[in-house]
Amino acid sequence: MTHLGIEAPVRAVPSVPRGDGMAEVDALLLQGKKIHAIKRYRELTGCGLKEAKDAVERRYPY
């Protein structure tokens, strides 16, 4: 598409944090700080509240 002068649209898809970020989320969950874990997940990924809540609960359901 580049050779035609057409730019592909960039999709805003939140990425799943890797490495240290998820370690922080896991540590917060293990301390029972679910709200803080959701907030940190949102900071790392830029996703919305519902998406972050669902992702954190899938990671560590309780």
Side-chain angles (χ1 to χ4, degrees), residues 2-59:
T2 305
H3 68 280
L4 297 174
I6 301 171
E7 293 184 24
V10 178
R11 294 183 356 181
V13 177
S15 62
V16 175
R18 307 258 185 244
D20 294 333
M22 286 311 290
E24 290 178 49
V25 172
D26 289 339
L28 289 166
L29 286 170
L30 290 173
Q31 295 171 22
K33 298 180 179 181
K34 182 178 175 182
I35 293 173
H36 295 287
I38 293 168
K39 181 179 177 182
R40 183 65 182 135
Y41 189 92
R42 290 185 70 197
E43 291 171 353
L44 293 168
T45 63
C47 68
L49 179 60
K50 174 74 171 133
E51 293 85 3
K53 180 181 177 289
D54 291 344
V56 166
E57 288 179 343
R58 277 192 309 268
R59 185 140 183 99

